[in-house]
Amino acid sequence: MEKTVADFRAAVEQRDVAALDDLFADDIRLYSPVTFTPFEGKRMVLGLFGVLMRTFDDLRYIGRYEGAAETADGEEAPSVVLPFRATVGGKQIHGIDLLHFDDGGRIKEFTVMVRPRSAVHALGEAVLAGLVADGLVPAAG
């Protein structure tokens, strides 16, 4: 888990989506602050990270908290919380990434929480536009 967290931070800070592939479980789920339904599966989550890495400016992790927490499936798993700061569309974002790990040390569940609400709105619009542009979701009709 220790190596996974270090490799994850480095990949995100260096905007290297390919480096995330080995860190994610095949059935990873990502819970976003801008959609109710999680992003599921490695292909979709990697695609989302490609969009996020283009969307966030000045993303930097500012701490780390480690322990265990319950996943959406109700199971307790080793977990790490990574607080971060970034800018999206000129709006400052404060947030956390909550990572849950499987028995092999890969990330199996990922929850992102951000504030303030105006930043959530800006993030949601930018991510949706990126997902549509990359063909990961259909354009709203």
Side-chain angles (χ1 to χ4, degrees):
M1 183 174 88
E2 208 55 48
K3 181 171 176 11
T4 301
V5 173
D7 291 349
F8 172 79
R9 286 181 67 157
V12 171
E13 290 170 349
Q14 295 167 12
R15 299 175 184 253
D16 184 358
V17 176
L20 295 172
D21 188 58
D22 290 337
L23 306 178
F24 292 160
D26 290 337
D27 60 348
I28 186 172
R29 277 184 302 210
L30 187 142
Y31 293 90
S32 163
V34 298
T35 63
F36 181 77
T37 305
F39 293 89
E40 297 189 76
K42 189 187 285 191
R43 179 186 160 279
M44 183 58 112
V45 173
L46 286 171
L48 174 62
F49 266 88
V51 172
L52 290 172
M53 288 181 184
R54 293 191 314 263
T55 302
F56 283 118
D57 294 319
D58 305 322
L59 177 82
R60 66 202 174 285
Y61 288 104
I62 58 172
R64 174 185 170 147
Y65 303 94
E66 195 171 315
E70 189 176 290
T71 67
D73 295 334
E75 301 173 8
E76 188 169 287
S79 305
V80 170
V81 175
L82 299 173
F84 67 86
R85 301 238 168 120
T87 306
V88 172
K91 303 242 184 238
Q92 273 297 113
I93 289 182
H94 298 173
I96 64 164
D97 289 340
L98 170 59
L99 289 65
H100 295 287
F101 299 87
D102 66 13
D103 293 337
R106 291 179 303 166
I107 301 167
K108 71 175 183 176
E109 188 175 292
F110 195 111
T111 302
V112 181
M113 292 180 239
V114 298
R115 63 161 302 279
R117 184 173 58 163
S118 61
V120 174
H121 185 69
L123 177 62
E125 287 180 351
V127 168
L128 178 58
L131 291 171
V132 169
D134 288 1
L136 294 168
V137 299

